[in-house]
Amino acid sequence: MGLPQDTATPPAHRKTQPTTMTTTTSTSRRRSHRVMCLSILLSMLVVIAAEMPAKLQQNPCESKINCHECIQTQSCAWCMKDDYGDRPRCFQHSSPQICPEEFVWNPDTSETILINKNLTLAKSAEAWAAGQFVSGGSYQRSYHQQSSASSSSSAAYGAQYGGAAAASAAAAAGEIVQIKPQRVNLKLRINQIHNLHVSYSQAEDYPVDLYYLMDLSKSMEDDKEKLSALGDKLSETMKRITSNFRLGFGSFVDKVLMPYVSTIPKKLEHPCDNCKAPYGYRNHMPLSNNTDIFSNEVKEAAVSGNLDAPEGGFDAIMQAIACRQQVGWREQARRLLVFSTDAGFHYAGDGKLGGVIAPNDGECHLNSQGMYTHSIIQDYPSISQINQKVKQNAINIIFAVTQSQHSIYQKLSSHIEGSSSAILSNDSSNVVDLVLQEYRKISSSVEMKDNATDEVKITYFSSCLTGGAEIKTSKCGGLKVGDKVSFTAQIQVTKCPLNPRDWKQVIQIYPVGINESMVIDLEMLCSCPCEHPGSTGYEEHSTKCSNHGTYMCGICECDDQHFGNTCECSNSDGHLSKDKPSSCRADNTTLHDCNGLGTCLCGKCLCNKRDNPEEIISGKFCECENFSCERNKNDLCSNHGDCVCGRCICHSGWEGSSCNCLSSKDTCYPPNGGPICSDHGVCECGVCKCNSTDEGRYSGRYCEKCPTCSGRCHELKDCVQCQMYHTGVLKNENDCATNCTTFTPVGVEKVKIDEELDEQLCVFFDEDDCKFTFKYAEVGGILKVHAQEQTECPPKIFMLGIVLGVIAAIVLVGLAILMLWKLLTTIHDRREFARFEKERMNAKWDTGENPIYKQATSTFKNPMYAGK
């Protein structure tokens, strides 16, 4: 018996108030100045970008070597001119024209509407009265009456994509049309976006096919009785929506195998009380406009039973959709499949429990009695198989399930296109309201879908019924009969498929749940006509290719034995083939032929030509060029040399890596004579580069100065000290007079240096730590010395007084501490003595008043006394 299954699946800114108009005006002026500066800067950047040479800008076209690669690159065009030189044939079409227009192949996107019938906005009784459908549920296809070309194309597409093309063909034959246009031819280049406009309108009184698929396990017995009683009400309710309504009925239990049902012979006949034999799926009543027999079919359908909780509902859904003729689905109608159950479902893989391993083939397997014959032969279908069948046949599934199963079926509906779920009461008493509510929900919205491949990207935009700006969406709601909704489908081919047969595709754009579609015959512009035999510009064994190749689109495609721009090179001539051009490389370590600056032809390098005729690439392996040498102030070799193989060869009188240095050294000699750079530096580019030594660093134009060097200071020190201050090692008058005869210092109050006279400053300290300063200079070969008149001595310090003062301070501090300690201890002792006296006075006994007190008796005995 089928049982219900519970499936768990900023810092604060200080505000300042302007105090005067001057402050506000100044602030505004500063802001205006900043804005003006930014505007000028942006303008300069725009001008620089506009004037940037085209060769410095990225050009994705130049690297393409054949026509189909060229047009597969966005904004690129191909030049098919015969004599075109070595210039790239693939170029940006927006750039200045470099190829005559008659030789340019630059295909544009084109759109041609093939079928564009007007939308059926009013009731089309004539179409429905044409007798397409016969009573009893069978139907006829009327769309075969169209033209032979359209018929063959639609038939081919229908074989591949189900009945969508058939619906479009039916619309083209003058029947109900809800999507416009119906067929479009589109030629599209790679990475170009094309906007295709699609319109949809729900036709009035549109046909509806409703097939009620019910779980007839034992637990659904009361639901079956209620559905039988409400059958007429369901028919009447749907006929109020559309007069062209058909109703059908089917049921399911599960596979007649263990462990799904009991295989005991007795249980196979009567699995439960008042139950019939179990079965997989049965089509009781095909879709028919004779809805009066629906209640009787439901009433006569017998319930059955099974063992496990899940049921075989997926088997039933697959057969109800796949068996289009047996069930009676019409080509042009809104198709509803109401799936009613109180249990879960088996899906692909569960069949292995019963030994069924063959996968579900998605085909119809019903016998003449409407019974599913392959229930025990093949497995349950998967969710993706159900979804694929639903999309191919444009069917809306309504899962009418009990409260306990609603959550799992709600998740299932999100994986099946156009499906929804609703809660069914325990006895199905609300089935009429449920179907009506879900139908209104489905019919009041439209969602656009497509079956584009991975190479094609389609994005939908619409304003729905608002009439405002379009937004990115593929779904519109709140629609009523007659409302017209327009969508813009942005179609973009992202890449060309590897197989050229896939360059032509048929794409279907369709509203979900409606068996109508717009068919797009898409041709991807992935190749050039001149690359195909029989077209202009295509020649096999062409003389332009030395009779050794095919001339196509202005270039040669050589055979296996020849190579070169015109197939002029042959492998049999002793030249290296195009696959082994090592003779165009300097050594085995080089990765590129001709150093990447030329083309290897017949084993020899043909160097590239530069746009500037003065720039030349040369050499056996194109290893030399005359434009990449070192520059100085943007001048190649400083305009004082020639660039040869990337190195500057300087003209006479110049040297250096960029020829920016004069070779003459005359400018490095001092004007008054002397060695070059005063022997304290080297002459580079006519300028002295001074040395740095342990004594100091030399400076000056001719390295004649050394501010940090000691010079003759130590030599003059002793004489200045004895003559000026009568101190030092020569303080004896005889010693001083004997050794100091070359100069006599001149006393000055303060010594100051005059750099123009090249004076040197000397500072020393004597034995008493007194500083004395003097300067010297040689003027006309005479040594002149100026010394400070008074030495700068540190003040004298009376050390004995300081020592005695420190000792006295220590003694005084010690005495003060002793006196303080004595004072504190005296106070403490007196307090303790006073407390002792007080306690002693309180401890005296009054012996006269104490009755217990008895005077002590003393006895004395003289041991020498014998009592005599």
Side-chain angles (χ1 to χ4, degrees):
M1 180 183 297
L3 300 175
Q5 182 183 8
D6 189 7
T7 306
T9 36
H13 294 279
R14 183 170 53 198
K15 296 183 178 179
T16 59
Q17 193 72 17
T19 57
T20 64
M21 184 62 70
T22 304
T23 304
T24 305
T25 304
S26 177
T27 303
S28 302
R29 190 175 301 165
R30 286 196 299 271
R31 290 178 179 172
S32 300
H33 180 69
R34 287 196 295 267
V35 171
M36 183 174 64
C37 292
L38 288 175
S39 301
I40 294 174
L41 180 59
L42 290 175
S43 300
M44 293 175 63
L45 291 175
V46 170
V47 171
I48 293 173
E51 295 179 353
M52 184 181 295
K55 63 182 180 180
L56 296 180
Q57 299 176 359
Q58 185 177 5
N59 188 349
C61 305
E62 293 183 354
S63 61
K64 308 306 176 184
I65 60 175
N66 51 49
C67 188
H68 66 268
E69 290 182 356
C70 181
I71 66 168
Q72 290 180 22
T73 306
Q74 192 172 6
S75 73
C76 293
W78 182 263
C79 183
M80 299 183 292
K81 193 174 183 298
D82 292 345
D83 186 12
Y84 197 63
D86 295 331
R87 291 173 296 177
R89 290 184 174 269
C90 189
F91 61 94
Q92 288 184 334
H93 195 255
S94 58
S95 61
Q97 193 67 32
I98 58 177
C99 181
E101 191 63 33
E102 62 269 20
F103 295 103
V104 175
W105 178 249
N106 183 34
D108 292 327
T109 297
S110 64
E111 173 190 330
T112 304
I113 299 179
L114 303 178
I115 304 177
N116 192 25
K117 294 291 184 179
N118 291 328
L119 297 173
T120 304
L121 301 179
K123 182 176 180 180
S124 181
E126 296 82 7
W128 299 331
Q132 300 177 55
F133 305 99
V134 295
S135 59
S138 62
Y139 63 93
Q140 300 172 350
R141 299 183 181 179
S142 62
Y143 57 85
H144 291 294
Q145 300 173 0
Q146 59 183 327
S147 63
S148 59
S150 300
S151 176
S152 60
S153 178
S154 298
Y157 180 72
Q160 183 179 1
Y161 296 99
S168 295
E175 300 177 359
I176 300 174
V177 178
Q178 296 186 117
I179 186 171
K180 177 184 179 180
Q182 294 80 42
R183 198 174 193 98
V184 177
N185 185 290
L186 183 61
K187 296 181 179 179
L188 192 59
R189 284 190 66 171
I190 309 301
N191 294 321
Q192 282 191 356
I193 297 177
H194 179 72
N195 292 332
L196 189 60
H197 300 287
V198 187
S199 299
Y200 168 82
S201 177
Q202 180 183 354
E204 183 181 358
D205 211 12
Y206 192 70
V208 175
D209 286 349
L210 191 151
Y211 189 78
Y212 201 96
L213 185 58
M214 189 173 187
D215 175 12
L216 282 189
S217 58
K218 183 64 175 177
S219 59
M220 292 288 288
E221 186 173 13
D222 56 341
D223 298 81
K224 181 183 78 72
E225 301 298 333
K226 182 61 68 174
L227 179 62
S228 175
L230 294 176
D232 294 337
K233 183 178 179 182
L234 176 62
S235 301
E236 292 174 2
T237 302
M238 294 302 297
K239 285 182 178 180
R240 294 193 193 103
I241 299 174
T242 174
S243 60
N244 199 336
F245 172 69
R246 299 200 309 164
L247 188 62
F249 174 67
S251 65
F252 64 91
V253 181
D254 211 338
K255 294 184 182 296
V256 189
L257 291 171
M258 280 291 289
Y260 317 111
V261 300
S262 176
T263 55
I264 299 174
K266 182 178 179 181
K267 291 291 184 179
L268 285 176
E269 295 181 2
H270 300 285
C272 53
D273 296 338
N274 299 322
C275 293
K276 297 296 183 180
Y279 55 92
Y281 160 72
R282 181 178 181 182
N283 178 27
H284 295 273
M285 173 187 171
L287 289 165
S288 172
N289 51 15
N290 186 8
T291 57
D292 296 337
I293 62 175
F294 177 79
S295 298
N296 187 51
E297 288 290 343
V298 175
K299 184 177 180 179
E300 291 182 357
V303 297
S304 184
N306 62 329
L307 293 178
D308 61 344
E311 312 291 4
F314 272 21
D315 271 344
I317 292 176
M318 178 60 75
Q319 293 304 303
I321 297 176
C323 300
R324 296 179 56 180
Q325 186 173 358
Q326 290 84 342
V327 174
W329 295 110
R330 289 181 287 185
E331 289 294 336
Q332 196 167 10
R334 187 178 290 276
R335 306 167 182 174
L336 303 179
L337 192 154
V338 180
F339 182 86
S340 175
T341 185
D342 64 348
F345 52 85
H346 284 294
Y347 53 90
D350 288 354
K352 295 180 180 179
L353 298 174
V356 180
I357 59 175
N360 196 287
D361 58 7
E363 301 295 333
C364 177
H365 300 286
L366 294 185
N367 59 18
S368 58
Q369 288 77 34
M371 299 293 292
Y372 178 34
T373 59
H374 283 51
S375 176
I376 61 175
I377 299 176
Q378 59 185 14
D379 195 6
Y380 301 96
S382 64
I383 296 176
S384 61
Q385 283 181 299
I386 296 293
N387 183 50
Q388 182 183 13
K389 282 293 181 182
V390 165
K391 290 194 296 183
Q392 288 180 355
N393 294 273
I395 290 180
N396 295 108
I397 300 180
I398 301 174
F399 294 107
V401 296
T402 56
Q403 177 71 44
S404 61
Q405 299 296 323
H406 182 250
S407 61
I408 186 65
Y409 281 93
Q410 193 173 26
K411 295 178 181 178
L412 176 62
S413 64
S414 65
H415 295 281
I416 299 179
E417 184 178 286
S419 64
S420 60
S421 63
I423 299 176
L424 186 71
S425 60
N426 291 330
D427 59 354
S428 297
S429 59
N430 67 332
V431 64
V432 177
D433 295 334
L434 184 149
V435 173
L436 180 61
Q437 178 183 353
E438 292 301 313
Y439 174 79
R440 288 176 175 173
K441 186 188 302 182
I442 293 172
S443 61
S444 64
S445 64
V446 60
E447 182 179 6
M448 288 296 174
K449 291 279 188 176
D450 58 75
N451 62 343
T453 59
D454 295 338
E455 294 84 6
V456 182
K457 177 183 178 182
I458 302 180
T459 308
Y460 298 94
F461 295 84
S462 178
S463 60
C464 295
L465 298 177
T466 61
E470 289 188 340
I471 61 173
K472 185 178 180 180
T473 181
S474 61
K475 187 174 184 180
C476 292
L479 306 181
K480 301 186 296 294
V481 174
D483 287 342
K484 181 180 178 182
V485 181
S486 296
F487 290 88
T488 299
Q490 285 191 353
I491 305 177
Q492 180 183 10
V493 178
T494 57
K495 61 180 180 179
C496 286
L498 297 178
N499 191 345
R501 290 181 297 179
D502 295 332
W503 292 352
K504 290 185 178 182
Q505 298 183 4
V506 180
I507 297 177
Q508 169 196 10
I509 294 180
Y510 59 91
V512 175
I514 301 295
N515 198 25
E516 297 183 38
S517 66
M518 179 179 69
V519 180
I520 303 174
D521 298 316
L522 176 63
E523 180 181 353
M524 303 179 187
L525 300 177
C526 296
S527 65
C528 305
C530 55
E531 293 178 320
H532 303 288
S535 63
T536 303
Y538 185 93
E539 299 178 14
E540 295 183 356
H541 306 292
S542 175
T543 56
K544 299 176 182 177
C545 300
S546 306
N547 295 323
H548 299 303
T550 302
Y551 182 79
M552 58 175 68
C553 302
I555 60 175
C556 289
E557 184 175 319
C558 305
D559 57 28
D560 295 338
Q561 300 299 320
H562 296 83
F563 58 96
N565 289 339
T566 58
C567 305
E568 71 278 12
C569 301
S570 173
N571 296 336
S572 60
D573 293 340
H575 297 114
L576 292 174
S577 68
K578 58 184 177 182
D579 297 327
K580 299 180 180 179
S582 59
S583 60
C584 293
R585 302 180 185 179
D587 49 53
N588 293 333
T589 62
T590 305
L591 300 178
H592 302 285
D593 297 338
C594 306
N595 290 290
L597 299 174
T599 304
C600 185
L601 293 177
C602 303
K604 295 181 180 180
C605 286
L606 179 62
C607 300
N608 297 336
K609 303 295 183 181
R610 303 280 295 181
D611 294 337
N612 187 349
E614 295 182 358
E615 297 180 355
I616 300 174
I617 302 175
S618 60
K620 180 180 179 180
F621 305 106
C622 300
E623 72 277 11
C624 292
E625 37 75 24
N626 65 345
F627 51 84
S628 64
C629 291
E630 193 171 339
R631 295 174 181 266
N632 181 32
K633 297 181 180 179
N634 206 29
D635 292 328
L636 188 66
C637 296
S638 306
N639 285 334
H640 299 308
D642 299 323
C643 181
V644 179
C645 288
R647 181 173 175 270
C648 287
I649 305 299
C650 301
H651 296 161
S652 176
W654 297 90
E655 62 183 8
S657 59
S658 61
C659 300
N660 60 330
C661 296
L662 287 170
S663 56
S664 174
K665 299 183 179 180
D666 294 341
T667 55
C668 294
Y669 287 95
N672 297 327
I676 188 171
C677 296
S678 304
D679 274 343
H680 299 309
V682 293
C683 184
E684 295 181 2
C685 294
V687 179
C688 287
K689 301 294 183 182
C690 301
N691 299 332
S692 294
T693 63
D694 295 338
E695 295 183 357
R697 180 181 180 85
Y698 289 90
S699 62
R701 183 176 179 180
Y702 306 104
C703 302
E704 72 280 8
K705 299 178 182 181
C706 184
T708 58
C709 296
S710 60
R712 301 181 62 182
C713 289
H714 286 281
E715 177 187 344
L716 306 176
K717 170 190 172 185
D718 294 338
C719 291
V720 171
Q721 192 175 3
C722 74
Q723 290 178 346
M724 197 71 187
Y725 310 112
H726 307 290
T727 59
V729 294
L730 300 177
K731 62 182 177 179
N732 188 288
E733 291 184 3
N734 293 330
D735 294 337
C736 186
T738 303
N739 294 287
C740 301
T741 59
T742 58
F743 70 93
T744 300
V746 177
V748 294
E749 184 179 356
K750 190 71 174 179
V751 176
K752 295 181 180 180
I753 297 298
D754 189 351
E755 294 184 356
E756 294 182 357
L757 299 178
D758 196 18
E759 295 179 338
Q760 300 294 326
L761 180 67
C762 303
V763 179
F764 293 99
F765 290 88
D766 61 12
E767 59 272 15
D768 295 327
D769 204 21
C770 295
K771 185 177 75 172
F772 59 95
T773 307
F774 64 93
K775 65 179 181 178
Y776 70 91
E778 294 183 11
V779 181
I782 301 175
L783 180 64
K784 292 185 177 182
V785 179
H786 295 77
Q788 189 170 312
E789 295 176 347
Q790 300 293 332
T791 58
E792 298 177 11
C793 298
K796 293 183 178 181
I797 301 174
F798 183 60
M799 296 300 298
L800 181 60
I802 294 175
V803 172
L804 293 177
V806 170
I807 295 173
I810 294 173
V811 172
L812 291 175
V813 171
L815 291 175
I817 293 174
L818 289 173
M819 292 179 67
L820 180 61
W821 173 78
K822 183 61 178 177
L823 178 61
L824 292 176
T825 53
T826 302
I827 294 173
H828 181 265
D829 290 344
R830 288 183 177 182
R831 287 181 178 177
E832 290 296 323
F833 181 77
R835 187 170 60 181
F836 169 76
E837 286 294 327
K838 183 178 180 181
E839 291 178 355
R840 186 176 64 81
M841 292 298 294
N842 292 334
K844 287 183 177 181
W845 291 88
D846 189 356
T847 56
E849 297 180 359
N850 189 352
I852 304 176
Y853 176 77
K854 185 178 181 181
Q855 184 68 34
T857 303
S858 299
T859 304
F860 301 93
K861 185 176 182 180
N862 189 351
M864 298 299 297
Y865 179 69
K868 297 178 180 181

